[in-house]
């Protein structure tokens, strides 16, 4: 029989055999069936034999002639898939998979696979009563979808398999089988055991293959159905399945496309801003896992978008927590559970750290500046936050954003401290040490420690103790570089000042003093030269004097004494000056005998052993500045600087925080006077200061502060409430005024040179020189 005759018989008779009912006919066992189970009647047996013959023809056909009967072949497969018998559906699927694995050189313009996508997707959702047959049908549907993808993904002439109409069927079908993998794996079919695979494994392999073939423009269509499936089946709350899905996605797609998945997750998070906290926390958890998988730096242009979205969600969560509810357009007012919002906030902060850990150093510095710009700075934006949350909302936002900064700085290492801690970042950060909130101050100290600790020495200084031999710490030391010297020359005094002020706070606790000790130790190890060592010793002695103030609580005074003793013991061993170390050890031994509550071993405990009252110590239990200056002066240190007590500088931040005292002002005045020699500069007659003068100065200062605060409030309110046109007109008027003033200044200061052709009078009665290009020269001078 010729090939055409075979084709005619098979294509005309097989569909009738496949669709013919076998009601009332006796069951016949067929051992020639391909469908893995004896056929139910003789007609199905003939169908299986005919399909076997057709498969053989298909496999033997050359690429150039395969188009001769593909349409007829697909028609027969379609008839088998439309049959209501599972065996015939599986038989048609197997034949289609064989056809899909054949590579064709000649494209086809008229084929359509829409039916196969729909039918295979339907088979993936089979609910057949028999569990074994149900699993067989589902696995056949999965293999069929895999075949459709293989056949169409690289053929530009076929219908685009990445279109939403196809992806919305294929992806949910795969996720449905992946979702119930545990149920399906409990009763695997004999074929699955024979092939050593279960539906879940086959589904995952097919899903990975689909994503691996996705090009740049197709990622969105492939990921969007995943998001919709997780929404429709409420799978964000339990997180496990959602995380698994996106791990498969991130590992399967090409690495340069990872940021597209991140963008879609961020957009979905924004779209669910008013969903429950568990849903938002699930999306954030998926973002965190995706960031860990993503290659370093591949977030690309979406870096600030990522952090902006996360910080926005953090701010919304704080508002929801404080207000207790929010209005939702569809369901009305929804009550917020406070503990769920707290869990969400922790997830957001963790995700910020995960993203930051994948970024290179320069991008992480930009993120730090970006987050710092979002934090309400004390004294400048006192009421930042929503109108419903007020001051407490601003405080919580400060805490949350500082916690985010802590996560960003974890593991941050740089060789140049000037770039790691620029002035635009360090100034607002240090301003938070002036706040009364103890938690805020502790977070600032943690950020500074993370940025300064470049050799992972922090844990070696915790807890605070008198270290007898620092060699057991095995510190990693490097020579202080030129950039480090420049950084300390520029910022050292500000760091010392804020360390001093944190110790002065009455609500500072054990964690604050432990962080302060770590910060002082890291400054000595990482950034210390001879000048810095001298200044740090002066600071430690100034802290000892500060502990003598009776206004402070007993615990704080004992803790400051203990901190000063532990640090002088450490810096003494780092300087390796024997006489200095001897003096420190003598004082520590004297304290152990007489006043052990001035050492860290008795203070920094869960239940510190403190006296009821603490008189100002003296004698052998106090470190003497004169003795230390004498011992270090013999080793080449600057004795003049050592003999000068440390006095913290006073800046505008103290005025803004209302902590500037008259005593500090007098100290500042004395320090300024000591810098100017009377021989070089004649003294000006001092103004007579009376009680009325001081009273008037204080009243004027408070009045000016209130006026400045009111002016700032009005400016912020104008830009928040005024129409855009009014703001634009106001700014334009100021710009025009500035430009006119500049023109007047330029006219006065810059006069044109004299012109050989004279001057010309302008409309305003002014004269100007004639420029060269307008001069009229004689013909003999023109070439």
């Amino acid at each position: 029989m010729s090939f055409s005759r075979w084709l005619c018989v098979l294509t005309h008779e097989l569909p009738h055999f496949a669709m013919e009912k076998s009601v009332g006919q006796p069951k016949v066992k067929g051992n020639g069936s391909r469908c893995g189970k004896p056929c139910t009647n003789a007609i199905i047996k003939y169908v299986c034999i005919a399909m076997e013959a057709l498969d053989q023809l298909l496999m033997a056909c050359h690429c150039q002639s395969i188009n001769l009967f593909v349409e007829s072949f697909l028609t027969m497969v379609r008839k088998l898939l439309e049959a209501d018998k599972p065996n015939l559906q599986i038989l048609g699927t197997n034949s289609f998979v064989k056809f899909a694995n054949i590579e064709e050189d000649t494209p086809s313009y008229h084929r359509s696979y829409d039916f196969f996508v729909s039918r295979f997707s339907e088979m993936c959702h089979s609910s057949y009563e028999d569990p074994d047959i149900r699993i067989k049908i589902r696995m056949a549907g999965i293999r069929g979808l895999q075949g459709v993808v293989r056949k169409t993904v690289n053929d530009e002439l076929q219908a685009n398999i990445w279109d939403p109409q196809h992806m919305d069927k294929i992806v949910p079908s795969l996720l449905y089988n992946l979702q119930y993998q545990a149920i399906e794996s409990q009763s695997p079919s004999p074929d699955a055991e024979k092939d050593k695979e279960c539906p879940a494994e086959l589904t995952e392999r097919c899903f990975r293959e689909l994503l691996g073939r996705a090009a740049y423009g197709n990622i969105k269509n492939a990921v969007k159905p995943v998001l919709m499936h997780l929404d429709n089946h409420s799978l964000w709350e339990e997180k496990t399945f959602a995380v698994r899905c996106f791990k498969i996605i991130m590992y399967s797609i090409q690495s340069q496309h990872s940021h597209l998945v991140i963008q879609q997750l961020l957009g979905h998070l924004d779209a669910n801003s008013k969903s429950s906290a568990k849903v938002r926390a699930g999306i954030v958890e998926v973002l965190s896992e995706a960031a860990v998988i993503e290659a370093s730096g591949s977030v690309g242009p979406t870096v600030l978008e990522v952090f902006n979205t996360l910080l926005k969600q953090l701010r919304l969560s704080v508002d929801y927590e404080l207000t207790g509810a929010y209005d939702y357009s569809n369901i009305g007012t929804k009550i917020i559970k406070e503990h769920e919002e707290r869990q969400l906030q922790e997830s957001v902060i963790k995700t910020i750290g995960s993203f930051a850990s994948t970024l290179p150093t320069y991008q992480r510095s930009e993120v730090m500046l970006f987050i710092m710009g979002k934090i309400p700075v004390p004294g400048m934006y006192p009421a930042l936050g929503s109108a419903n949350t007020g001051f407490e909302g601003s405080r919580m936002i400060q805490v949350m954003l500082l916690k985010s900064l802590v996560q960003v700085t974890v593991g941050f290492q740089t060789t140049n401290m000037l770039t790691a801690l620029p002035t635009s970042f360090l100034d607002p950060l240090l301003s938070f040490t002036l706040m009364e909130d103890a938690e805020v101050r502790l977070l600032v100290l943690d950020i500074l420690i993370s940025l300064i600790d470049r050799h992972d020495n922090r844990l070696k200084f915790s807890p605070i103790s008198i270290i007898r031999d620092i060699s057991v710490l095995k510190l990693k030391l490097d020579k202080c570089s030129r950039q480090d010297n420049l950084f300390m020359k520029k910022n050292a005094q500000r760091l010392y000042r804020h360390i001093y002020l944190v110790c002065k706070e009455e609500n500072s606790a054990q964690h604050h003093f432990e962080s302060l000790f770590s910060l002082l130790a890291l400054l000595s190890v990482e950034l210390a030269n001879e000048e810095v060592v001298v200044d740090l010793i002066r600071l430690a002695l100034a802290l000892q004097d500060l502990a003598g103030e009776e206004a402070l609580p007993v615990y704080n005074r004992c803790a400051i004494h203990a901190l000063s003793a532990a640090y002088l013991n450490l810096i003494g061993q780092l300087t390796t000056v024997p006489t200095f170390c001897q003096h420190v050890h003598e004082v520590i031994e004297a304290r152990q005998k007489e006043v052990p509550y001035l050492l860290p071993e008795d203070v920094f405990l869960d239940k510190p052993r403190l006296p009821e009252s603490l008189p100002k110590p003296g004698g052998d239990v106090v470190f003497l500045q004169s003795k230390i200056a004498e011992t270090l002066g013999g080793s080449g240190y600057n004795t003049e600087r050592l003999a000068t007590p440390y006095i913290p500088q006073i800046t505008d931040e103290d005025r803004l925080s209302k902590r500037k005292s008259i005593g500090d002002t007098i100290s500042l005045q004395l320090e300024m006077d000591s810098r100017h020699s009377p021989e070089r500069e004649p003294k000006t007659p001092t103004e007579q200061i009376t009680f009325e003068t001081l009273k008037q100065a204080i009243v004027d200062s408070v009045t000016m502060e209130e006026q400045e605060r009111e002016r700032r409030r009005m400016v912020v309110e104008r830009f928040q409430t005024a129409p855009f046109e009014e703001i634009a007109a106001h700014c334009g008027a100021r710009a025009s005024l500035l430009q006119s003033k500049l023109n007047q200044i330029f006219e006065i200061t810059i006069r044109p040179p004299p012109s050989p052709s004279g001057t010309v009078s302008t409309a305003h009665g002014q004269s100007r020189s004639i420029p060269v290009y307008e001069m009229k020269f004689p013909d003999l001078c023109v070439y």
Side-chain angles (χ1 to χ4, degrees):
M1 184 180 293
S2 64
F3 175 80
S4 59
R5 182 60 178 167
W6 266 99
L7 183 61
C8 180
V9 172
L10 291 175
T11 56
H12 285 82
E13 299 299 329
L14 184 56
H16 300 288
F17 288 152
M19 299 302 296
E20 185 176 347
K21 302 297 180 181
S22 57
V23 180
Q25 295 185 3
K27 295 183 179 180
V28 180
K29 292 185 179 181
N31 50 16
S33 172
R34 295 180 58 257
C35 45
K37 193 174 183 180
C39 297
T40 57
N41 50 54
I43 296 179
I44 294 181
K45 173 183 175 182
Y46 299 148
V47 171
C48 293
I49 295 174
M51 284 303 300
E52 181 70 28
L54 192 59
D55 288 344
Q56 294 295 330
L57 282 174
L58 188 68
M59 300 304 295
C61 186
H62 296 289
C63 294
Q64 294 180 353
S65 58
I66 193 172
N67 282 328
L68 295 175
F69 69 101
V70 164
E71 282 300 321
S72 299
F73 168 79
L74 292 178
T75 300
M76 290 182 283
V77 173
R78 186 181 297 110
K79 292 294 185 181
L80 291 176
L81 294 176
E82 289 175 347
D84 57 352
K85 297 185 179 300
N87 290 340
L88 294 181
Q89 296 174 10
I90 297 172
L91 178 64
T93 302
N94 292 337
S95 295
F96 181 83
V97 170
K98 285 186 177 182
F99 163 70
N101 291 328
I102 298 176
E103 296 184 3
E104 299 182 58
D105 293 338
T106 305
S108 176
Y109 296 87
H110 53 277
R111 288 186 205 162
S112 175
Y113 295 96
D114 293 355
F115 165 80
F116 296 100
V117 171
S118 301
R119 183 56 183 154
F120 289 139
S121 299
E122 184 181 352
M123 292 170 65
C124 289
H125 292 82
S126 174
S127 56
Y128 203 85
E129 295 180 358
D130 189 340
D132 290 339
I133 296 178
R134 181 171 65 244
I135 290 177
K136 284 183 180 181
I137 296 174
R138 289 187 180 181
M139 291 186 67
I142 297 168
R143 284 195 296 267
L145 291 177
Q146 188 178 29
V148 172
V149 172
R150 289 179 180 176
K151 200 65 179 174
T152 60
V153 73
N154 293 324
D155 193 347
E156 297 180 355
L157 299 177
Q158 299 297 334
N160 190 359
I161 198 66
W162 302 105
D163 286 344
Q165 59 179 345
H166 299 309
M167 285 291 105
D168 290 346
K169 297 176 182 177
I170 295 175
V171 173
S173 301
L174 297 177
L175 295 179
Y176 177 79
N177 287 274
L178 199 63
Q179 178 181 353
Y180 295 102
Q181 57 175 327
I183 299 176
E184 295 174 348
S185 301
Q186 291 175 359
S187 56
S189 64
D191 288 346
E193 293 180 354
K194 180 180 179 181
D195 297 335
K196 297 182 179 180
E197 67 176 0
C198 63
E201 295 175 354
L202 178 62
T203 303
E204 182 174 341
R205 192 168 70 246
C206 180
F207 193 34
R208 289 182 184 276
E209 182 178 347
L210 173 68
L211 295 168
R213 295 173 179 269
Y216 181 87
N218 303 325
I219 295 294
K220 182 178 180 180
N221 291 341
V223 176
K224 186 177 180 180
V226 179
L227 300 174
M228 294 176 61
H229 182 83
L230 297 175
D231 285 342
N232 295 334
H233 295 271
S234 302
L235 297 174
W236 292 111
E237 298 181 4
E238 59 184 28
K239 302 179 185 179
T240 306
F241 179 72
V243 169
R244 182 163 184 258
C245 285
F246 276 89
K247 279 186 175 182
I248 293 174
I249 293 173
M250 297 299 292
Y251 280 121
S252 301
I253 64 175
Q254 302 177 39
S255 59
Q256 65 268 27
H257 301 159
S258 299
H259 67 277
L260 296 176
V261 180
I262 301 297
Q263 281 182 322
Q264 284 191 264
L265 282 169
L266 291 172
H268 199 66
L269 181 59
D270 269 342
N272 285 272
S273 295
K274 291 192 175 182
S275 298
S276 66
K278 288 186 176 181
V279 171
R280 286 177 281 143
I283 302 175
V284 170
E285 183 73 20
V286 171
L287 270 168
S288 177
E289 296 292 338
V292 174
I293 297 172
E294 192 170 18
S296 177
S298 65
V299 178
T302 63
V303 172
L304 296 184
E305 179 187 351
V306 169
F307 290 96
N308 189 42
T309 301
L310 293 175
L311 295 180
K312 176 183 175 183
Q313 293 299 321
L314 201 58
R315 186 182 297 271
L316 286 174
S317 179
V318 169
D319 290 343
Y320 293 160
E321 179 185 349
L322 293 178
T323 56
Y326 61 79
D327 293 332
Y328 198 61
S329 58
N330 295 333
I331 60 176
T333 303
K334 186 173 183 180
I335 305 300
I336 299 298
K337 296 181 180 179
E338 183 176 342
H339 69 280
E340 292 181 357
E341 293 296 336
R342 288 292 177 92
Q343 292 175 357
L344 170 63
Q345 293 160 14
E346 293 175 0
S347 298
V348 172
I349 293 172
K350 175 187 172 184
T351 303
I352 289 174
S354 299
F355 270 107
S357 64
T358 66
L359 299 177
T361 302
Y362 74 93
Q363 280 189 331
R364 201 185 293 199
S365 299
E366 293 177 359
V367 171
M368 289 162 50
L369 287 171
F370 179 75
I371 296 177
M372 180 58 68
K374 298 285 186 179
I375 305 178
V377 179
M380 295 180 64
Y381 306 104
L384 187 62
S386 66
N388 297 327
T389 57
F391 174 78
E392 181 62 20
S394 297
R395 191 200 71 83
M396 287 188 64
I397 290 171
Q398 288 174 351
V399 172
M400 294 300 167
L401 296 183
L402 286 173
K403 286 182 178 180
S404 303
L405 267 180
V406 171
Q407 291 294 322
V408 173
T409 56
V410 170
F412 180 70
Q413 295 183 354
T414 179
T415 56
N416 191 347
M417 292 301 300
L418 286 171
T419 59
L421 281 171
T423 304
S424 57
F425 177 80
L426 186 61
D427 283 351
L429 179 65
L430 291 178
S431 67
F432 287 102
T433 59
L434 301 174
M435 297 191 65
E436 297 179 357
D437 195 319
E439 185 178 7
V440 170
R441 297 199 307 273
L442 185 60
L443 291 171
V444 172
L445 292 174
D446 287 341
I447 294 169
L448 288 172
I449 290 171
S450 296
L451 293 172
I452 296 174
D453 184 18
R454 295 175 292 182
H455 296 89
D456 298 327
N457 289 319
R458 175 182 183 175
L459 295 178
K460 300 174 183 178
F461 301 118
S462 181
I464 306 179
S465 62
I466 302 297
I467 304 171
R468 300 297 179 182
D469 183 9
I470 64 170
S471 61
V472 299
L473 299 180
K474 298 180 180 180
L475 298 175
K476 298 177 183 178
L477 304 175
D478 282 341
K479 187 177 179 181
C480 193
S481 64
R482 180 175 175 272
Q483 290 83 1
D484 294 340
N485 290 332
L486 291 174
F487 172 78
M488 292 303 292
K489 186 175 182 179
K490 183 178 181 181
N491 301 304
Q493 294 303 321
R494 281 183 290 178
L495 290 171
Y496 304 153
R497 172 179 173 274
H498 285 80
I499 291 172
Y500 183 90
L501 293 176
V502 172
C503 290
K504 201 173 181 179
E505 294 294 334
E506 296 183 3
N507 59 351
S508 292
Q510 177 179 344
H511 294 298
H512 293 84
F513 293 106
E514 290 177 347
S515 297
L516 285 168
F517 178 73
S518 298
L519 179 58
L520 288 168
L522 290 171
L523 287 173
S524 306
V525 172
E526 296 281 353
L527 303 171
N529 52 29
E530 182 177 327
E531 182 179 350
V532 172
V533 169
V534 171
D535 284 339
L536 288 171
I537 294 174
R538 293 172 59 219
L539 175 61
L541 294 173
L543 292 178
Q544 179 181 249
D545 296 338
L546 175 64
E549 296 184 3
E550 297 182 359
L552 291 174
V554 174
Y555 174 80
N556 293 61
R557 296 174 63 190
C558 293
I560 295 173
H561 274 297
L563 171 65
S564 179
Y567 178 67
L568 287 174
N569 173 69
L570 175 67
I571 195 69
Q573 297 186 60
L574 289 174
T575 57
T576 65
V577 178
T579 53
F580 178 34
C581 295
Q582 182 180 357
H583 172 66
V584 173
H585 291 160
E586 289 174 355
V587 174
I588 291 175
E589 289 176 1
R591 289 188 178 185
Q592 288 175 343
K593 295 177 182 178
E594 302 177 19
V595 284
Y597 47 80
L598 299 185
L599 294 175
E601 285 77 9
D602 278 25
V603 178
F604 301 115
L605 303 172
D606 293 335
K607 295 182 179 180
R609 298 184 285 268
L610 303 178
E612 295 182 0
S613 62
L614 179 63
K616 187 174 182 179
D620 296 337
V621 299
V622 176
F623 299 99
L624 300 177
Q625 185 168 2
S626 58
K627 182 70 173 177
I628 293 176
E630 178 184 350
T631 56
L632 291 177
S635 299
Y637 287 88
N638 189 339
T639 56
E640 182 180 355
R641 193 173 183 86
L642 279 168
T644 306
Y646 171 77
I647 300 176
Q649 298 178 0
I650 305 300
T651 65
D652 292 340
E653 292 172 315
D654 296 286
R655 185 175 70 252
L656 293 174
S657 61
K658 295 184 179 180
R659 298 184 187 180
K660 184 175 181 180
S661 65
I662 297 178
D664 292 336
T665 307
I666 296 173
S667 300
L668 177 62
Q669 182 180 358
L670 293 175
E671 185 178 4
M672 294 297 294
D673 289 342
S674 65
R675 295 182 182 179
H676 301 285
S677 176
E679 292 78 12
R680 297 183 181 179
E681 195 175 285
K683 279 190 175 181
T684 58
T686 58
E687 181 184 356
Q688 186 177 3
I689 300 177
T690 63
F691 174 76
E692 292 297 331
T693 306
L694 292 175
K695 180 179 179 181
Q696 187 64 30
I698 295 174
V699 172
D700 293 344
S701 176
V702 173
T703 304
M704 291 178 62
E705 290 177 12
E706 292 178 354
Q707 291 176 355
E708 179 67 16
R709 191 179 300 107
E710 180 64 19
R711 188 186 67 82
R712 290 178 179 273
R713 187 191 65 79
M714 292 178 64
V715 171
V716 173
E717 183 178 356
R718 174 187 295 176
F719 277 88
Q720 287 179 344
T721 59
F724 174 77
E725 293 77 8
E726 181 180 339
I727 297 174
H730 176 71
C731 295
R734 293 186 61 184
S736 301
L737 179 61
L738 176 62
Q739 186 62 41
S740 64
K741 294 294 183 183
L742 289 175
N743 292 338
Q744 293 178 12
I745 294 172
F746 291 152
E747 186 66 28
I748 295 172
T749 57
I750 304 174
R751 296 193 179 277
S755 172
S757 299
T759 59
V760 176
S761 297
T762 61
H764 301 283
Q766 300 176 353
S767 60
R768 66 177 182 87
S769 298
I770 299 176
V772 176
Y773 57 83
E774 293 182 2
M775 295 179 186
K776 296 185 180 298
F777 294 95
D779 295 338
L780 294 176
C781 298
V782 179
Y783 294 92

